[in-house]
Amino acid sequence: MKEPLVPVVPMSHTAHIRSHRKPRRSATSSIALRAGVAGGVLSMAAAGASATANAAEPVTQTIELPTLTADMSAQVAQSAAATQQAAANYELRAERDAAAAKAAAEAKKDLAEAKKKAEAKKKAAEAARKAAAERANRSAERATLSASASTSVSAPASGSVATVIAFLKAQVGDAYVMGATGPNAWDCSSLVQAAYKQVGVDLPRVSQDQSMAGTDVPLSDIQVGDILYWGGKGSAYHVGVYIGNGQYLDAANPSKGVVIQDLSGYPASGAVRVL
């Protein structure tokens, strides 16, 4: 009996080598995988949409304030006290700065006053020095006048001079008024002019011109009836008449009026003789 024949299937020459290909997944696994991927993509899309929506809308957060405890109250009170102290220190510093500025200004003012007083004192000392020099000069002049008075005629030399002196003495006590010409008020030159007019001597009206009249006489040789003048010859600012014994009569000023004065107290600058 013949053995049955087994069909021989030709095989590939690589059939004995294991395949490196991954085994195919089943259709069910493939479907499940695809569904999972799709679900993930949808989940990501949903998450992105949610994030976009959340980004578009403002986030509102409620912060709960802490409860004010005793410690916190103490800290707040301490902070307020420190702030108040700082403000007080600032105000005190501002007051001190203002006081310092005021003190500096007062010191500057005091210094200026001190300089002003020192300058005034210096000027006063200079004036006193000049006055002392003038007094020394007057003392010398008084000595000269005293010597001349002892040899001068103490009585009028003639009737004309006596008339002049009598008229002048009759006016003692009258007022001094600038520009006045009598009979109860005079200035210095109008009184001298009126006195000499009593004996027919016409003198100029003003003291400057009267100092130029008659003949110059040295102060050491003056006689009763001579005209005395103060200031420069031709520019005299005051005149009077010598009446003897170192005295003269004049309309002095508004406070004195017509008076008799000692020549030693106010020495004349020069003298002229018209009689």
Side-chain angles (χ1 to χ4, degrees):
M1 178 177 198
K2 293 181 180 180
E3 295 180 2
L5 298 174
V6 178
V8 178
V9 179
M11 297 179 65
S12 171
H13 65 282
T14 60
H16 65 283
I17 300 174
R18 294 183 62 180
S19 175
H20 294 283
R21 291 183 180 181
K22 294 181 180 179
R24 289 187 176 183
R25 296 177 181 175
S26 64
T28 302
S29 299
S30 177
I31 292 171
L33 178 61
R34 290 174 182 174
V37 171
V41 172
L42 291 174
S43 298
M44 292 176 63
S50 176
T52 303
N54 292 336
E57 296 179 1
V59 178
T60 303
Q61 185 177 1
T62 302
I63 299 176
E64 184 177 354
L65 295 176
T67 303
L68 188 64
T69 63
D71 293 340
M72 292 181 65
S73 297
Q75 292 178 1
V76 171
Q78 185 177 4
S79 177
T83 302
Q84 185 176 3
Q85 183 63 38
N89 292 338
Y90 178 79
E91 184 177 358
L92 179 60
R93 185 164 57 251
E95 290 177 355
R96 289 177 178 174
D97 292 343
K102 183 178 179 180
E106 290 179 352
K108 185 177 180 180
K109 182 179 179 181
D110 291 342
L111 180 60
E113 288 292 334
K115 289 182 178 179
K116 185 177 181 180
K117 289 181 179 179
E119 186 67 21
K121 188 175 181 180
K122 182 179 178 182
K123 290 182 179 179
E126 182 66 19
R129 185 188 65 80
K130 290 182 178 179
E134 291 178 357
R135 283 195 298 270
N137 292 334
R138 288 177 183 175
S139 297
E141 291 179 357
R142 281 197 296 269
T144 301
L145 289 172
S146 297
S148 62
S150 61
T151 59
S152 296
V153 178
S154 59
S158 65
S160 296
V161 173
T163 302
V164 170
I165 301 304
F167 176 86
L168 290 171
K169 288 184 177 181
Q171 314 310 314
V172 171
D174 285 355
Y176 175 98
V177 177
M178 177 65 72
T181 58
N184 299 314
W186 314 85
D187 62 20
C188 64
S189 56
S190 68
L191 179 61
V192 172
Q193 183 186 48
Y196 282 90
K197 190 174 183 180
Q198 304 302 312
V199 293
V201 177
D202 292 328
L203 291 176
R205 171 65 181 83
V206 295
S207 58
Q208 294 89 339
D209 294 336
Q210 288 178 4
S211 67
M212 299 292 292
T215 305
D216 290 335
V217 178
L219 291 174
S220 58
D221 294 333
I222 57 175
Q223 296 180 4
V224 175
D226 289 343
I227 298 174
L228 304 175
Y229 64 85
W230 285 259
K233 186 175 179 63
S235 60
Y237 58 85
H238 188 66
V239 290
V241 177
Y242 184 65
I243 61 174
N245 296 322
Q247 294 181 319
Y248 66 96
L249 191 153
D250 67 336
N253 52 53
S255 62
K256 290 183 178 181
V258 179
V259 292
I260 295 173
Q261 304 189 79
D262 290 332
L263 192 57
S264 59
Y266 190 37
S269 302
V272 292
R273 186 171 296 159
V274 295
L275 289 176

mmCIF file of all heavy atoms in Angstrom, residues 48-84:
data_model
loop_
_atom_site.group_PDB
_atom_site.id
_atom_site.type_symbol
_atom_site.label_atom_id
_atom_site.label_comp_id
_atom_site.label_asym_id
_atom_site.label_seq_id
_atom_site.Cartn_x
_atom_site.Cartn_y
_atom_site.Cartn_z
ATOM 1 N N GLY A 48 -7.706 74.257 26.552
ATOM 2 C CA GLY A 48 -7.269 75.525 25.952
ATOM 3 C C GLY A 48 -8.384 76.534 25.907
ATOM 4 O O GLY A 48 -8.211 77.707 26.177
ATOM 5 N N ALA A 49 -9.561 76.058 25.542
ATOM 6 C CA ALA A 49 -10.712 76.967 25.488
ATOM 7 C C ALA A 49 -11.022 77.510 26.861
ATOM 8 O O ALA A 49 -11.341 78.682 27.037
ATOM 9 C CB ALA A 49 -11.924 76.234 24.892
ATOM 10 N N SER A 50 -10.924 76.569 27.843
ATOM 11 C CA SER A 50 -11.197 77.000 29.209
ATOM 12 C C SER A 50 -10.178 78.044 29.664
ATOM 13 O O SER A 50 -10.510 79.041 30.296
ATOM 14 C CB SER A 50 -11.171 75.802 30.149
ATOM 15 O OG SER A 50 -11.344 76.213 31.490
ATOM 16 N N ALA A 51 -8.873 77.808 29.332
ATOM 17 C CA ALA A 51 -7.824 78.778 29.711
ATOM 18 C C ALA A 51 -8.052 80.111 29.045
ATOM 19 O O ALA A 51 -7.878 81.164 29.642
ATOM 20 C CB ALA A 51 -6.456 78.206 29.332
ATOM 21 N N THR A 52 -8.475 80.081 27.734
ATOM 22 C CA THR A 52 -8.735 81.338 27.020
ATOM 23 C C THR A 52 -9.881 82.092 27.663
ATOM 24 O O THR A 52 -9.853 83.307 27.832
ATOM 25 C CB THR A 52 -9.057 81.054 25.552
ATOM 26 O OG1 THR A 52 -7.975 80.324 24.990
ATOM 27 C CG2 THR A 52 -9.267 82.353 24.781
ATOM 28 N N ALA A 53 -10.911 81.333 28.023
ATOM 29 C CA ALA A 53 -12.062 81.973 28.671
ATOM 30 C C ALA A 53 -11.681 82.564 30.007
ATOM 31 O O ALA A 53 -12.074 83.667 30.358
ATOM 32 C CB ALA A 53 -13.198 80.960 28.826
ATOM 33 N N ASN A 54 -10.861 81.798 30.746
ATOM 34 C CA ASN A 54 -10.421 82.295 32.050
ATOM 35 C C ASN A 54 -9.537 83.524 31.897
ATOM 36 O O ASN A 54 -9.568 84.446 32.703
ATOM 37 C CB ASN A 54 -9.661 81.214 32.827
ATOM 38 C CG ASN A 54 -10.598 80.072 33.250
ATOM 39 O OD1 ASN A 54 -11.804 80.281 33.364
ATOM 40 N ND2 ASN A 54 -10.051 78.891 33.462
ATOM 41 N N ALA A 55 -8.684 83.555 30.838
ATOM 42 C CA ALA A 55 -7.809 84.715 30.623
ATOM 43 C C ALA A 55 -8.609 85.936 30.225
ATOM 44 O O ALA A 55 -8.251 87.064 30.533
ATOM 45 C CB ALA A 55 -6.777 84.390 29.545
ATOM 46 N N ALA A 56 -9.708 85.757 29.516
ATOM 47 C CA ALA A 56 -10.505 86.890 29.081
ATOM 48 C C ALA A 56 -11.266 87.514 30.223
ATOM 49 O O ALA A 56 -11.547 88.695 30.226
ATOM 50 C CB ALA A 56 -11.479 86.458 27.981
ATOM 51 N N GLU A 57 -11.655 86.678 31.203
ATOM 52 C CA GLU A 57 -12.428 87.200 32.312
ATOM 53 C C GLU A 57 -11.503 87.594 33.453
ATOM 54 O O GLU A 57 -10.566 86.879 33.765
ATOM 55 C CB GLU A 57 -13.425 86.145 32.793
ATOM 56 C CG GLU A 57 -14.470 85.790 31.740
ATOM 57 C CD GLU A 57 -15.425 84.731 32.265
ATOM 58 O OE1 GLU A 57 -15.237 84.338 33.433
ATOM 59 O OE2 GLU A 57 -16.333 84.323 31.530
ATOM 60 N N PRO A 58 -11.729 88.771 34.124
ATOM 61 C CA PRO A 58 -10.878 89.169 35.258
ATOM 62 C C PRO A 58 -11.069 88.234 36.424
ATOM 63 O O PRO A 58 -12.167 87.734 36.662
ATOM 64 C CB PRO A 58 -11.364 90.587 35.592
ATOM 65 C CG PRO A 58 -12.769 90.623 35.080
ATOM 66 C CD PRO A 58 -12.801 89.740 33.862
ATOM 67 N N VAL A 59 -9.950 88.024 37.112
ATOM 68 C CA VAL A 59 -9.990 87.127 38.255
ATOM 69 C C VAL A 59 -10.340 87.943 39.487
ATOM 70 O O VAL A 59 -9.698 88.937 39.791
ATOM 71 C CB VAL A 59 -8.623 86.434 38.442
ATOM 72 C CG1 VAL A 59 -8.671 85.541 39.683
ATOM 73 C CG2 VAL A 59 -8.291 85.619 37.215
ATOM 74 N N THR A 60 -11.346 87.581 40.144
ATOM 75 C CA THR A 60 -11.778 88.254 41.361
ATOM 76 C C THR A 60 -11.385 87.419 42.545
ATOM 77 O O THR A 60 -11.733 86.221 42.601
ATOM 78 C CB THR A 60 -13.293 88.474 41.359
ATOM 79 O OG1 THR A 60 -13.646 89.221 40.202
ATOM 80 C CG2 THR A 60 -13.737 89.216 42.615
ATOM 81 N N GLN A 61 -10.588 88.072 43.463
ATOM 82 C CA GLN A 61 -10.108 87.328 44.616
ATOM 83 C C GLN A 61 -10.540 88.047 45.883
ATOM 84 O O GLN A 61 -10.348 89.242 46.029
ATOM 85 C CB GLN A 61 -8.574 87.221 44.597
ATOM 86 C CG GLN A 61 -8.025 86.356 45.724
ATOM 87 C CD GLN A 61 -6.530 86.219 45.617
ATOM 88 O OE1 GLN A 61 -5.948 86.789 44.718
ATOM 89 N NE2 GLN A 61 -5.947 85.457 46.498
ATOM 90 N N THR A 62 -11.097 87.417 46.732
ATOM 91 C CA THR A 62 -11.557 87.968 47.995
ATOM 92 C C THR A 62 -10.501 87.737 49.055
ATOM 93 O O THR A 62 -10.077 86.597 49.267
ATOM 94 C CB THR A 62 -12.867 87.322 48.438
ATOM 95 O OG1 THR A 62 -13.851 87.528 47.413
ATOM 96 C CG2 THR A 62 -13.357 87.926 49.759
ATOM 97 N N ILE A 63 -9.998 88.894 49.624
ATOM 98 C CA ILE A 63 -8.968 88.800 50.651
ATOM 99 C C ILE A 63 -9.621 89.051 51.994
ATOM 100 O O ILE A 63 -10.246 90.093 52.210
ATOM 101 C CB ILE A 63 -7.858 89.832 50.418
ATOM 102 C CG1 ILE A 63 -7.195 89.583 49.059
ATOM 103 C CG2 ILE A 63 -6.806 89.766 51.526
ATOM 104 C CD1 ILE A 63 -6.161 90.613 48.698
ATOM 105 N N GLU A 64 -9.441 88.182 52.798
ATOM 106 C CA GLU A 64 -10.038 88.306 54.122
ATOM 107 C C GLU A 64 -9.109 89.118 55.022
ATOM 108 O O GLU A 64 -7.924 88.805 55.157
ATOM 109 C CB GLU A 64 -10.261 86.924 54.726
ATOM 110 C CG GLU A 64 -10.989 86.979 56.077
ATOM 111 C CD GLU A 64 -11.257 85.590 56.625
ATOM 112 O OE1 GLU A 64 -10.981 84.607 55.914
ATOM 113 O OE2 GLU A 64 -11.757 85.503 57.756
ATOM 114 N N LEU A 65 -9.588 90.264 55.550
ATOM 115 C CA LEU A 65 -8.792 91.111 56.414
ATOM 116 C C LEU A 65 -8.486 90.397 57.711
ATOM 117 O O LEU A 65 -9.343 89.681 58.247
ATOM 118 C CB LEU A 65 -9.531 92.417 56.725
ATOM 119 C CG LEU A 65 -9.779 93.324 55.524
ATOM 120 C CD1 LEU A 65 -10.615 94.528 55.961
ATOM 121 C CD2 LEU A 65 -8.461 93.773 54.947
ATOM 122 N N PRO A 66 -7.240 90.639 58.163
ATOM 123 C CA PRO A 66 -6.892 89.958 59.415
ATOM 124 C C PRO A 66 -7.676 90.554 60.583
ATOM 125 O O PRO A 66 -8.034 91.724 60.593
ATOM 126 C CB PRO A 66 -5.405 90.250 59.558
ATOM 127 C CG PRO A 66 -5.185 91.502 58.796
ATOM 128 C CD PRO A 66 -6.148 91.434 57.644
ATOM 129 N N THR A 67 -7.920 89.758 61.510
ATOM 130 C CA THR A 67 -8.629 90.181 62.719
ATOM 131 C C THR A 67 -7.707 91.052 63.567
ATOM 132 O O THR A 67 -6.532 90.725 63.753
ATOM 133 C CB THR A 67 -9.075 88.957 63.528
ATOM 134 O OG1 THR A 67 -9.885 88.142 62.689
ATOM 135 C CG2 THR A 67 -9.876 89.388 64.761
ATOM 136 N N LEU A 68 -8.179 92.240 64.005
ATOM 137 C CA LEU A 68 -7.381 93.163 64.801
ATOM 138 C C LEU A 68 -7.261 92.636 66.220
ATOM 139 O O LEU A 68 -8.194 92.683 67.004
ATOM 140 C CB LEU A 68 -8.028 94.555 64.797
ATOM 141 C CG LEU A 68 -7.213 95.682 65.418
ATOM 142 C CD1 LEU A 68 -5.955 95.880 64.606
ATOM 143 C CD2 LEU A 68 -8.026 96.956 65.460
ATOM 144 N N THR A 69 -6.086 92.138 66.511
ATOM 145 C CA THR A 69 -5.839 91.572 67.828
ATOM 146 C C THR A 69 -5.236 92.628 68.735
ATOM 147 O O THR A 69 -4.924 93.739 68.306
ATOM 148 C CB THR A 69 -4.898 90.363 67.718
ATOM 149 O OG1 THR A 69 -3.641 90.857 67.205
ATOM 150 C CG2 THR A 69 -5.449 89.310 66.778
ATOM 151 N N ALA A 70 -5.046 92.282 70.003
ATOM 152 C CA ALA A 70 -4.453 93.210 70.976
ATOM 153 C C ALA A 70 -3.037 93.577 70.588
ATOM 154 O O ALA A 70 -2.620 94.723 70.690
ATOM 155 C CB ALA A 70 -4.494 92.589 72.375
ATOM 156 N N ASP A 71 -2.271 92.586 70.095
ATOM 157 C CA ASP A 71 -0.883 92.859 69.685
ATOM 158 C C ASP A 71 -0.845 93.819 68.513
ATOM 159 O O ASP A 71 -0.032 94.756 68.463
ATOM 160 C CB ASP A 71 -0.171 91.555 69.322
ATOM 161 C CG ASP A 71 0.027 90.666 70.549
ATOM 162 O OD1 ASP A 71 -0.028 91.212 71.673
ATOM 163 O OD2 ASP A 71 0.231 89.452 70.370
ATOM 164 N N MET A 72 -1.738 93.569 67.541
ATOM 165 C CA MET A 72 -1.760 94.455 66.384
ATOM 166 C C MET A 72 -2.174 95.870 66.790
ATOM 167 O O MET A 72 -1.664 96.854 66.288
ATOM 168 C CB MET A 72 -2.702 93.907 65.317
ATOM 169 C CG MET A 72 -2.217 92.615 64.683
ATOM 170 S SD MET A 72 -3.334 92.026 63.420
ATOM 171 C CE MET A 72 -3.203 93.319 62.218
ATOM 172 N N SER A 73 -3.123 95.997 67.728
ATOM 173 C CA SER A 73 -3.544 97.325 68.203
ATOM 174 C C SER A 73 -2.381 98.040 68.861
ATOM 175 O O SER A 73 -2.164 99.242 68.664
ATOM 176 C CB SER A 73 -4.692 97.169 69.209
ATOM 177 O OG SER A 73 -5.817 96.597 68.585
ATOM 178 N N ALA A 74 -1.595 97.289 69.644
ATOM 179 C CA ALA A 74 -0.441 97.898 70.296
ATOM 180 C C ALA A 74 0.571 98.375 69.269
ATOM 181 O O ALA A 74 1.167 99.447 69.390
ATOM 182 C CB ALA A 74 0.194 96.889 71.257
ATOM 183 N N GLN A 75 0.781 97.548 68.217
ATOM 184 C CA GLN A 75 1.727 97.927 67.178
ATOM 185 C C GLN A 75 1.265 99.189 66.444
ATOM 186 O O GLN A 75 2.047 100.081 66.131
ATOM 187 C CB GLN A 75 1.911 96.778 66.190
ATOM 188 C CG GLN A 75 2.625 95.568 66.782
ATOM 189 C CD GLN A 75 2.731 94.431 65.786
ATOM 190 O OE1 GLN A 75 2.291 94.568 64.649
ATOM 191 N NE2 GLN A 75 3.305 93.318 66.234
ATOM 192 N N VAL A 76 -0.056 99.257 66.135
ATOM 193 C CA VAL A 76 -0.604 100.440 65.459
ATOM 194 C C VAL A 76 -0.437 101.680 66.329
ATOM 195 O O VAL A 76 -0.035 102.756 65.874
ATOM 196 C CB VAL A 76 -2.082 100.220 65.097
ATOM 197 C CG1 VAL A 76 -2.712 101.526 64.608
ATOM 198 C CG2 VAL A 76 -2.209 99.142 64.039
ATOM 199 N N ALA A 77 -0.745 101.522 67.623
ATOM 200 C CA ALA A 77 -0.601 102.655 68.536
ATOM 201 C C ALA A 77 0.852 103.092 68.643
ATOM 202 O O ALA A 77 1.172 104.292 68.663
ATOM 203 C CB ALA A 77 -1.145 102.274 69.921
ATOM 204 N N GLN A 78 1.767 102.113 68.697
ATOM 205 C CA GLN A 78 3.192 102.430 68.777
ATOM 206 C C GLN A 78 3.660 103.150 67.520
ATOM 207 O O GLN A 78 4.424 104.112 67.578
ATOM 208 C CB GLN A 78 3.988 101.147 68.993
ATOM 209 C CG GLN A 78 5.484 101.374 69.212
ATOM 210 C CD GLN A 78 6.229 100.092 69.494
ATOM 211 O OE1 GLN A 78 5.642 99.013 69.457
ATOM 212 N NE2 GLN A 78 7.504 100.207 69.771
ATOM 213 N N SER A 79 3.172 102.672 66.354
ATOM 214 C CA SER A 79 3.544 103.322 65.093
ATOM 215 C C SER A 79 3.018 104.751 65.039
ATOM 216 O O SER A 79 3.712 105.672 64.604
ATOM 217 C CB SER A 79 2.995 102.518 63.924
ATOM 218 O OG SER A 79 3.279 103.167 62.706
ATOM 219 N N ALA A 80 1.768 104.958 65.509
ATOM 220 C CA ALA A 80 1.198 106.315 65.518
ATOM 221 C C ALA A 80 1.985 107.222 66.451
ATOM 222 O O ALA A 80 2.251 108.389 66.148
ATOM 223 C CB ALA A 80 -0.269 106.263 65.944
ATOM 224 N N ALA A 81 2.373 106.674 67.628
ATOM 225 C CA ALA A 81 3.159 107.475 68.569
ATOM 226 C C ALA A 81 4.510 107.850 67.972
ATOM 227 O O ALA A 81 4.992 108.974 68.134
ATOM 228 C CB ALA A 81 3.352 106.697 69.875
ATOM 229 N N ALA A 82 5.133 106.884 67.277
ATOM 230 C CA ALA A 82 6.423 107.178 66.646
ATOM 231 C C ALA A 82 6.279 108.248 65.578
ATOM 232 O O ALA A 82 7.106 109.153 65.451
ATOM 233 C CB ALA A 82 7.006 105.897 66.042
ATOM 234 N N THR A 83 5.191 108.168 64.799
ATOM 235 C CA THR A 83 4.945 109.186 63.763
ATOM 236 C C THR A 83 4.736 110.564 64.385
ATOM 237 O O THR A 83 5.265 111.574 63.921
ATOM 238 C CB THR A 83 3.718 108.805 62.932
ATOM 239 O OG1 THR A 83 3.936 107.519 62.344
ATOM 240 C CG2 THR A 83 3.468 109.836 61.832
ATOM 241 N N GLN A 84 3.957 110.602 65.482
ATOM 242 C CA GLN A 84 3.713 111.877 66.170
ATOM 243 C C GLN A 84 4.997 112.444 66.746
ATOM 244 O O GLN A 84 5.245 113.650 66.685
ATOM 245 C CB GLN A 84 2.681 111.658 67.278
ATOM 246 C CG GLN A 84 2.255 112.957 67.976
ATOM 247 C CD GLN A 84 1.163 112.713 68.991
ATOM 248 O OE1 GLN A 84 0.761 111.569 69.213
ATOM 249 N NE2 GLN A 84 0.670 113.777 69.583
#
